[in-house]
Amino acid sequence: MGLTVSLDGSIDLTDMWATLSIRLGRPIFSANASKSAKSLKPSTLCVLLASVFFLLGVERIYTDRDMSSSPRADGERPHSKLEEALEIKSLRRIISAYLNYSDAAEEDVRRCERSFKQLPPSHKALLSHLPLKYQRLRRCISVNSFFILNVIQAFEPPLDMSQDIDICEHENLEDTGECIHSGTVADNQERNVSSGQRASTSGRTDPFETEQLGCREENDFTCKSPPKKTGNEEMRMESFCESVMGSWSVSSEASTGIHCSGAHDVKVINNNAGLSVCTANGNVNSQSSDWLGPSLQLNVPLVDVDKVRCIVRNIVRDWAAEGQGERDQCYKPILEELDRLFPARCKTRPPCCLVPGAGLGRLALEISCLGFVSQGNEFSYYMMICSSFILNHTHSAQEWTIYPWIHSNCNSLSENDQLRPVAFPDIHPASAGITEGFSMCGGDFVEVYSDASQEGYWDAVVTCFFLDTAHNIVEYIEIISRILKDGGIWINLGPLLYHFADAFGTEDEMSIELSLEDVKEVAFHYGFELEMEKTIETTYTANPRSMMQNRYFAAFWTMKKKQKA
């Protein structure tokens, strides 16, 4: 079983349950992903390949995919109908979280307005500017929602999202005697949606569901339940072009021809035929996105919408000039260490560097620009959907504007600080000067890189705010050691804020929580030698103008894998 990427960008898969042929849609991603897709379980491979394809900015053509559960002659089982159905439902939930962003944010504003109305007249007179602030908040929400809509419209799902689902969970859930029916979604959420859990046929946490995003800053804007969508919901998205913003334009493959300036309005019409973007002059940019119709959307828990808000803050960290300070704290030391340890990088045979937990992809891209064949690995579909858009669908620097700080009314120095716009990306990814072979690989780190073909493949592994995302940190370190070449380099930066330490309601959720001293001892056991170690003070997706800053004293080290005797 193998995956080969030829020089012209075509991919040939041999002896595999799916036959796919893809053509690179962006010249910047002529990636060699062959080492990451061998000998994986079919269910993992489905998610991995689909993720790799859309993150590479490619056009995918699926042909004759066998979705039956009958075993193959080679002993492998194709992706079952149950597995695909559960993935579709889970991915619908993530898409719904993005699309519910506007409703949830609007409900927050209404909560503030209800509180204001309860004030006595004298207090209202003293705070007479607040109603205007609430209207400004709505305009900011509209701008954010317009960007989010473009992200979702540009997303090409790896599965047929428009199909009805009617599944009895008999393959692995026989004891429950329950069925999942998801032809219409209003009342069809699975048993564990509210808790963020669902049964996984592989026994491992699913990348669509219980995702531990890099949301380490506390979100202090209380969320309320968004109202249910109606059959023909029209969301008015006014372009916010007041003095703080001037005029702005949007140019993406999902919104070609839309230009907003002055007081023009943009409307996003959500109906049973799909989503369309309408300009003020009545021109319609229709999208063949039947899977975005309201009948296929979930009324998701607010914790899911908070993940979307987290993504908005991560955009600032990775792709805005305002996030340069955090990038200098976290990424710059890593890049300097790589540059020091690999001084004679050969352009014909550049060293290979893996970046697990790549998030929105900026660090992996910067490493590629340094002269490495860099591969980012990301588990979260929330992250992957957004990083795909930024990497593949942005046309110029400062193309987009968002308002990332509007969801917190606490610790603001001023109203203008809270409502300030942030332009991104600060660089155009396609023009950044990456090294050929840059790629993004979607999938669980343990499942993808435990494959035997990965052993001794990488010259360097960079983990930034990643180690504490593990259920079993010992397993992470063991895999890092295994996939590095003898003499390979492991650079780590981050805290030990174990993501599953407080996984309430999931009593069987494994979480191994070690001290820094124990972590290093485990690393020594697996053949690492400490080359350099220090502490770096940093923040994570912090608002630099907030009165509250959560700061980490992150461990920063370089370790080398010992040469075999």
Side-chain angles (χ1 to χ4, degrees):
M1 182 185 301
L3 171 65
T4 304
V5 183
S6 63
L7 292 177
D8 64 0
S10 63
I11 290 185
D12 174 52
L13 293 109
T14 57
D15 191 27
M16 193 155 18
W17 52 272
T19 301
L20 304 95
S21 173
I22 68 174
R23 173 177 55 82
L24 290 177
R26 292 273 184 270
I28 66 170
F29 292 121
S30 55
N32 182 358
S34 61
K35 299 293 287 189
S36 300
K38 295 181 179 178
S39 305
L40 298 177
K41 295 187 300 183
S43 59
T44 304
L45 191 57
C46 173
V47 176
L48 167 64
L49 290 179
S51 304
V52 171
F53 293 158
F54 82 73
L55 283 174
L56 293 180
V58 300
E59 178 181 353
R60 292 168 285 108
I61 303 173
Y62 290 79
T63 58
D64 300 328
R65 183 162 128 182
D66 179 10
M67 296 308 299
S68 71
S69 58
S70 59
R72 290 167 46 103
D74 57 11
E76 293 196 0
R77 180 178 57 82
H79 199 231
S80 73
K81 288 184 179 293
L82 174 63
E83 289 169 330
E84 175 167 291
L86 291 175
E87 287 172 3
I88 289 172
K89 286 179 65 65
S90 299
L91 188 50
R92 281 179 183 170
R93 172 177 168 176
I94 291 172
I95 299 300
S96 297
Y98 272 97
L99 296 178
N100 274 304
Y101 165 85
S102 180
D103 287 342
E106 169 63 22
E107 180 57 28
D108 283 338
V109 177
R110 290 174 181 169
R111 176 184 62 83
C112 293
E113 290 177 327
R114 289 193 296 268
S115 296
F116 179 79
K117 289 179 179 179
Q118 295 177 34
L119 291 174
S122 60
H123 293 179
K124 286 182 181 178
L126 187 63
L127 302 175
S128 60
H129 65 285
L130 286 184
L132 177 60
K133 175 187 176 179
Y134 301 147
Q135 293 308 309
R136 292 182 66 191
L137 277 170
R138 286 191 168 93
R139 296 186 179 109
C140 295
I141 292 167
S142 293
V143 174
N144 288 356
S145 299
F146 186 59
F147 166 71
I148 287 170
L149 177 68
N150 276 268
V151 170
I152 295 303
Q153 286 184 321
F155 173 55
E156 297 180 24
L159 302 166
D160 181 6
M161 300 292 293
S162 63
Q163 63 182 292
D164 287 346
I165 302 173
D166 189 356
I167 312 149
C168 279
E169 298 177 290
H170 59 275
E171 295 187 33
N172 291 310
L173 305 174
E174 293 178 352
D175 295 338
T176 65
E178 297 185 43
C179 295
I180 293 177
H181 303 278
S182 184
T184 59
V185 180
D187 300 312
N188 298 333
Q189 301 181 45
E190 57 264 43
R191 295 180 305 280
N192 298 315
V193 158
S194 61
S195 66
Q197 291 285 339
R198 74 162 175 81
S200 171
T201 55
S202 67
R204 180 173 289 278
T205 304
D206 189 280
F208 300 101
E209 286 287 352
T210 56
E211 301 190 28
Q212 297 294 319
L213 294 180
C215 302
R216 299 165 185 265
E217 281 291 304
E218 187 69 24
N219 183 7
D220 49 13
F221 199 138
T222 304
C223 299
K224 303 295 180 182
S225 298
K228 290 186 178 180
K229 295 181 179 293
T230 60
N232 289 291
E233 177 185 10
E234 183 179 275
M235 181 171 59
R236 184 180 180 86
M237 302 183 66
E238 300 175 340
S239 58
F240 182 27
C241 307
E242 297 181 348
S243 59
V244 297
M245 190 173 175
S247 63
W248 58 281
S249 63
V250 176
S251 175
S252 77
E253 293 181 4
S255 59
T256 303
I258 296 178
H259 177 77
C260 304
S261 60
H264 293 176
D265 293 343
V266 176
K267 295 181 181 179
V268 179
I269 300 173
N270 187 357
N271 53 45
N272 290 328
L275 282 153
S276 301
V277 180
C278 299
T279 58
N281 60 13
N283 294 330
V284 178
N285 178 28
S286 178
Q287 301 293 323
S288 57
S289 302
D290 294 341
W291 55 274
L292 287 175
S295 64
L296 299 179
Q297 293 177 28
L298 297 169
N299 187 23
V300 297
L302 289 167
V303 65
D304 288 9
V305 180
D306 280 338
K307 292 175 184 177
V308 177
R309 296 175 178 181
C310 167
I311 295 298
V312 172
R313 296 196 300 273
N314 270 270
I315 291 173
V316 180
R317 172 179 169 86
D318 262 21
W319 293 105
E322 188 168 305
Q324 187 65 54
E326 278 194 0
R327 293 196 296 274
D328 286 345
Q329 292 167 4
C330 296
Y331 298 170
K332 187 176 180 180
I334 292 171
L335 297 171
E336 290 175 344
E337 191 71 356
L338 282 171
D339 190 44
R340 179 184 71 85
L341 292 166
F342 296 87
R345 295 183 291 280
C346 177
K347 291 185 178 180
T348 58
R349 297 187 65 183
C352 297
C353 181
L354 175 65
V355 186
L360 296 185
R362 182 60 177 266
L363 178 58
L365 182 135
E366 294 286 355
I367 291 173
S368 177
C369 294
L370 205 58
F372 290 78
V373 176
S374 172
Q375 181 173 99
N377 164 241
E378 180 53 50
F379 180 61
S380 166
Y381 248 82
Y382 286 94
M383 289 284 190
M384 290 191 292
I385 289 171
C386 187
S387 65
S388 172
F389 183 84
I390 294 173
L391 292 170
N392 295 318
H393 297 283
T394 52
H395 301 135
S396 62
Q398 314 299 333
E399 181 179 355
W400 293 91
T401 297
I402 53 173
Y403 294 82
W405 314 118
I406 60 174
H407 303 294
S408 175
N409 283 324
C410 302
N411 293 304
S412 295
L413 293 173
S414 71
E415 185 176 296
N416 286 335
D417 280 342
Q418 181 188 2
L419 303 182
R420 71 186 184 276
V422 173
F424 74 96
D426 61 320
I427 61 171
H428 181 218
S431 306
I434 65 172
T435 302
E436 183 178 357
F438 172 56
S439 62
M440 293 286 287
C441 172
D444 177 73
F445 171 73
V446 172
E447 289 198 6
V448 174
Y449 297 96
S450 291
D451 179 62
S453 66
Q454 294 287 314
E455 186 171 345
Y457 180 75
W458 300 94
D459 297 287
V461 173
V462 167
T463 51
C464 183
F465 278 77
F466 173 72
L467 283 184
D468 55 5
T469 67
H471 285 279
N472 178 4
I473 191 172
V474 177
E475 187 176 33
Y476 270 21
I477 297 170
E478 180 183 18
I479 293 171
I480 292 170
S481 174
R482 186 186 308 135
I483 66 179
L484 277 171
K485 297 176 180 177
D486 289 346
I489 298 298
W490 174 25
I491 299 174
N492 175 72
L493 189 150
L496 293 174
L497 183 63
Y498 293 102
H499 284 207
F500 297 98
D502 298 316
F504 299 111
T506 52
E507 59 186 25
D508 294 328
E509 193 88 70
M510 176 189 288
S511 180
I512 304 301
E513 300 142 20
L514 303 182
S515 68
L516 179 59
E517 181 179 353
D518 284 343
V519 169
K520 289 187 290 185
E521 286 297 325
V522 171
F524 299 153
H525 171 79
Y526 284 105
F528 284 106
E529 296 176 318
L530 187 63
E531 297 276 307
M532 180 278 299
E533 180 183 22
K534 63 181 178 179
T535 299
I536 289 182
E537 185 177 354
T538 183
T539 57
Y540 193 97
T541 65
N543 181 352
R545 301 188 196 177
S546 172
M547 297 169 65
M548 183 183 76
Q549 302 282 336
N550 291 330
R551 307 196 68 84
Y552 296 90
F553 294 91
F556 177 47
W557 71 63
T558 297
M559 293 190 185
K560 179 181 287 189
K561 182 180 175 180
K562 294 178 183 178
Q563 298 279 354
K564 289 183 180 178

